[in-house]
Amino acid sequence: MTTDANQGPVPTGASPPSAPAGRPAGAAPDAPAGPAEPGVRPDGAPPAARRGAGGWGLLIAGMAAPVLAGLWLAFGGGEPPAPPPRRPQVLPVTLAAVSRGDLTPQVELTGTVRARRRASLAFERGGLLAALEVDEGARVEPGAVLARLAGREEALAVEQARTAVELARRELALLRAGARPEERRRLEAEVEVARAEAELAAIEVERGRVLLARSVIAQADLDGLGAKHRAAEGRVAAAVARLDEGRAGARPEDIELAEARLEAARTALRSAEVAQAETELRAPWRGVVVRRLPSPGDVLAAGQVVLEVAALDDLELVLDLPAALAPRAREGARVVVTLDELPGFRLEGPLTTLVPAAQEGTRNFRALVAVPAAGDPARALKPGMFARARVDLAPVEAALLVPQDAVLQVDRGAVVVRALPGPPPPPPGAAPPEAPAGPPAAG
C-alpha cells in the first residue's frame, strides 16, 4: 500500500488515477481565472517550491504515521488486526499402523578376510641360502622342504655320529655274546697245561724230600722245588678263572658301561641330525606360499624371514565393532557375509569370537567370524579381501515397530513422523470446508 499526496492511499500494484481528459498525464490542474503574476503560479507558490511540496508532504506523513499509530493504541485503539493465516500446504502421505513385538536389530560392518594359520618361515641359524624349492603361489604339503642352506659341515657331522653309534653297538654285542667257541677251547687247553705243570712240580717236591732224607740235596733245593710247585698251582687257578669267565660271558658292569657308550653315541647323532635339519626349511601344514623374500645366494641371518605360508582352507573374517554396539553383540549371533565383487555371494554363519578388550587406537572391539572350507566350496573368499557382514544384535522384546520407510535419517539421528487424529470427514454429499482466506492477490 503506497500513499499519494493528492489522492490518498493506493493499493500496492494498482495504477495511479488517470489525468482528466484533454490534459496530458502528470500536468497540473486548471488554475483559477484571474491575472497571474510573472514567475508566480496561480496557487501562490513558486514553481520550484511547488514541485518540492509533494516530497515534503510524503516525508511528514511517514514520520507522523508511527506517532498516530502509537496514540491510537495508547487511547484504546486496540491491537492492529492480525494478518490473515496462510493457506496450509498439504502433502500426500501414506499412514502405517504402529505395532508392538520382538525385534532383532542388525548392524552392517565391513571387515577383512585373513587366514587363521599364517606363518613366516625362517632358518634358526644363519648361512648361505643354497636353494629355494618353491615359488609364490605354490601349494605345499606338511613337511615338504621349501628351502635349504649350504650345510656340508652338518652333513659330515651326521656321518661321523652314525659311525660312532655303529661302533658302540658292535662292542656291546660282543660283550653280550661272550667268548667264542675257539676262545673257550684255548682257555681249556691253558687249564690243562697249568694242571700238568702243577702235577710235575708236586712230583719234584716229593722226590726232593726223599733226596733230602738221604742227604743228597740240601734244604734250600727242596725249598726251591716247593716254590715252583706253588707257582704252578697259581697258574692253574688263573687258567681256570679265565675259562670260567669265558664260559660266563662279560661282567654286568662291563655291559652297562658299553650300553652307556652306545647311548652317548646315539645322543651325539641326534644332535648332529638336529643341526642338519636346521639347514632345511619345511612346511608346517598344508597351504600356499603367499610371499617369498630372499633369493638363492643371499647370506641370511638367523631368524630372517624367507617365506610366508597361509592355509587357505581355514579363513576368518575380522570385524571392528563400535564400542556403542559391543554390549549388544554376543558370540554365536547370526552373521551374513556378502561381497561387493560378487553380488550373488552369501555366506551365513555364527559370530565365533568377540574379543572383550577394546583396541587402543580406535577403541573398537574386534569380532571374528570363522569361515570353514565347507561354507565356501568355491573358495570365493581370499585372504586380504574386504567383505560386508550383517550382524544380529541382542533382541529387543515388546518394542514399537514401524516400517523401515517411515524412519528418516537426519544429522541428529533417526526421526519418525507421527500422525495426530484430525476432525471427522464430512458426510457424503456435503460441501468441503472452505479454505481460510489468504491475502488478496496483487492486481
Side-chain angles (χ1 to χ4, degrees), residues 232-248:
E233 290 291 339
R235 287 192 294 271
V236 171
V240 171
R242 288 193 297 272
L243 178 60
D244 293 339
E245 183 180 352
R247 289 174 178 175

Side-chain angles (χ1 to χ4, degrees), residues 190-199 229-242:
E190 290 180 356
V191 171
E192 294 296 330
V193 172
R195 285 176 177 174
E197 292 176 352
E199 291 177 358
H229 178 258
R230 289 191 297 272
E233 290 291 339
R235 287 192 294 271
V236 171
V240 171
R242 288 193 297 272

Side-chain angles (χ1 to χ4, degrees), residues 170-179 249-251 254-255 257-258 261:
R170 292 186 178 184
E171 290 178 352
L172 178 60
L174 290 176
L175 290 176
R176 287 176 175 174
R251 295 179 304 173
D254 295 337
I255 294 177
L257 182 59
R261 292 196 186 101

Side-chain angles (χ1 to χ4, degrees), residues 95-174:
L95 300 181
V98 179
S99 60
R100 187 178 293 275
D102 296 339
L103 176 65
T104 302
Q106 294 181 336
V107 60
E108 183 171 306
L109 305 172
T110 57
T112 305
V113 180
R114 73 178 184 185
R116 298 182 63 186
R117 294 182 297 169
R118 183 184 180 112
S120 298
L121 305 182
F123 291 101
E124 296 183 8
R125 59 174 57 193
L128 178 66
L129 182 59
L132 273 175
E133 306 295 340
V134 294
D135 206 343
E136 292 182 353
R139 296 185 177 274
V140 295
E141 296 295 327
V145 178
L146 308 181
R148 288 188 176 89
L149 292 177
R152 180 174 177 80
E153 295 181 359
E154 288 76 7
L156 293 177
V158 169
E159 292 297 328
Q160 183 178 1
R162 287 175 179 171
T163 302
V165 168
E166 183 63 19
L167 179 60
R169 187 186 63 80
R170 292 186 178 184
E171 290 178 352
L172 178 60
L174 290 176

Side-chain angles (χ1 to χ4, degrees), residues 323-358:
L325 300 177
R328 303 170 59 186
R330 66 193 188 282
E331 294 183 356
R334 187 176 69 99
V335 180
V336 178
V337 181
T338 58
L339 296 175
D340 293 342
E341 297 82 356
L342 297 176
F345 179 83
R346 176 187 173 90
L347 178 64
E348 184 174 335
L351 184 65
T352 309
T353 304
L354 181 61
V355 180

